[in-house]
Amino acid sequence: MSSTVSANVDGRTATKLKMVASMENRSVSNAVSSAITVFVGLPKGVRDFLLELNAQNDQDTITRLGREMMAAAARVRLEKATTDLASEHRFGGPEEASSEIDMLEEATALTRAAALRK
């Protein structure tokens, strides 16, 4: 069951929200829904820290943190793709084990292909 919620934001935030929604070809409502879903799923300490950075308008730290989060997400995606690929036993015969580099190369290719589809 869905619920409707409302929020008041300043003009700068509203403008940024509209730009993000437009760039991602989404409605403002959909962007807000996604933001709320992600935000409430974070641990309280992380939420508090992000709000603190925003209140301080610390763009350098926000940018650095965003890059670090993207790097961590890429590592997790690669690890998942590698695990998924290894479970498919696509390389060699039953008696021949695939090398780790073969699996990493295929996982990288699959991850890039998935990213291009988005």
Side-chain angles (χ1 to χ4, degrees), residues 54-103:
N54 188 61
Q56 294 170 350
N57 198 24
D58 187 348
Q59 288 303 310
D60 291 339
T61 302
I62 291 169
T63 300
R64 190 179 88 233
L65 184 58
R67 279 194 304 264
E68 291 176 15
M69 290 172 66
M70 288 302 297
R75 278 192 304 275
V76 169
R77 281 185 176 143
L78 178 61
E79 290 167 4
K80 182 178 178 347
T82 302
T83 300
D84 291 348
L85 184 63
S87 70
E88 292 178 9
H89 306 290
R90 290 176 53 176
F91 296 99
E95 67 283 335
E96 190 177 326
S98 299
S99 74
E100 185 174 318
I101 193 68
D102 288 339
M103 289 190 290

Side-chain angles (χ1 to χ4, degrees), residues 109-118:
L110 291 172
T111 302
R112 285 186 180 142
L116 291 174
R117 285 193 301 263
K118 291 182 180 180

